[in-house]
Amino acid sequence: MAIALEYTAGGDDAAGREQLFATIARDLLEKGYSINPCAMAPELAQSLLQKLHTMSERQFVPAGIGREQEQMLNTFVRTDKICWITGESDAGRQWLEWAASLQTFLNRRLLLGLFSFESHFAHYGAGDFYRRHCDAFKGGSNRVLSIVAYLNPGWLPGDGGELVIYPEGVPAGIKVTPALGTVAVFLSEDFEHEVLPARRDRFSIAGWYRVNSSSARRADPPL
Ligand code: OGA
Ligand code: MN
């Protein structure tokens, strides 16, 4: 119940969802990123939180950097641990369905041609960070849209762990508090970003939509 009280918007009804998706589409068109507090439906946030509670730390593995095939551990760049979401649990499936409905909406509204989606839970313990980076490189990866959803009830300003997005011409960046239900979306190639050191456990889901870059000469299947 305490969690439901934190919400002022973003109900699970179809109309609320459409409105959120429309806001994301407009923001992406106008500025390339979209930050939405209280965006995730309380039922979905609850179910993901409960899922996290049932998971053991052993299910999380140190995150790597680079394309999946060339994963490298680099604890100078990032120290979080991750667990890929496969859709085997109810909560995972609900999340993937939600992400798929956003994909369908954005493809219709912005003709983005998003083709596949991959996502993982991430756990940042106290002191963990992810230094300034880009999720895609022009001409390299086919990640076009990044999404991050936060799962931290009662996050306080002193808890750190903010996501900072750096639009061109905004050297100080834009800070996003990783509070329960907040959803941030941005064009993967266009925005460097970082995760400031967290001072307590911080949970998020990070996901990426890809376009299909297979061709007659080069097969590039999704994971
Ligand atoms: C990432 C990432 C941001 C966050 O996993 O690539 O930038 O706030 N995550 O968890
Ligand atoms: Mn990133």
Side-chain angles (χ1 to χ4, degrees):
M1 258 3 256
I3 286 160
L5 287 174
E6 291 195 9
Y7 285 87
T8 52
D12 204 17
D13 56 297
R17 200 187 265 210
E18 283 279 296
Q19 209 173 3
L20 170 69
F21 289 177
T23 302
I24 292 174
R26 194 198 56 221
D27 285 348
L28 288 177
L29 207 55
E30 283 174 4
K31 47 186 191 173
Y33 66 91
S34 183
I35 297 160
N36 304 276
C38 306
M40 206 190 272
E43 294 79 3
L44 177 57
Q46 276 286 6
S47 128
L48 289 165
L49 265 181
Q50 265 158 25
K51 171 71 190 156
L52 278 174
H53 286 149
T54 68
M55 290 168 72
S56 94
E57 194 53 28
R58 277 179 291 118
Q59 290 173 263
F60 285 79
V61 297
I65 55 172
R67 274 203 79 152
E68 294 68 19
Q69 296 89 331
E70 306 138 20
Q71 282 282 313
M72 272 178 22
L73 253 192
N74 187 336
T75 50
F76 180 73
V77 175
R78 69 187 297 186
T79 58
D80 58 318
K81 290 184 166 176
I82 62 164
C83 177
W84 288 98
I85 299 177
T86 55
E88 279 154 51
S89 70
D90 280 350
R93 197 161 41 246
Q94 283 163 34
W95 160 255
L96 293 177
E97 277 167 17
W98 186 89
S101 61
L102 176 60
Q103 175 175 330
T104 303
F105 186 96
L106 294 177
N107 280 345
R108 284 200 187 122
R109 184 66 62 98
L110 303 178
L111 305 178
L112 286 182
L114 306 175
F115 177 75
S116 68
F117 181 70
E118 63 191 324
S119 60
H120 60 60
F121 288 112
H123 175 210
Y124 292 73
D128 284 341
F129 58 83
Y130 192 164
R131 289 205 207 284
R132 188 162 167 164
H133 67 283
C134 198
D135 287 345
F137 294 97
K138 292 198 162 80
S141 153
N142 50 351
R143 287 177 168 179
V144 292
L145 192 67
S146 302
I147 183 164
V148 196
Y150 297 101
L151 298 168
N152 306 292
W155 196 263
L156 297 170
D159 291 334
E162 292 93 349
L163 168 70
V164 190
I165 299 177
Y166 294 97
E168 242 175 56
V170 188
I174 291 166
K175 274 192 183 177
V176 182
T177 301
L180 180 66
T182 295
V183 175
V185 184
F186 54 92
L187 298 175
S188 306
E189 286 187 350
D190 292 355
F191 295 94
E192 292 188 348
H193 54 282
E194 71 177 313
V195 179
L196 300 180
R199 294 199 189 89
R200 65 165 171 101
D201 285 321
R202 173 202 196 264
F203 291 94
S204 58
I205 295 175
W208 300 273
Y209 295 94
R210 292 173 184 271
V211 291
N212 181 6
S213 57
S214 295
S215 70
R217 286 189 304 161
R218 193 172 91 94
D220 189 15
L223 295 177

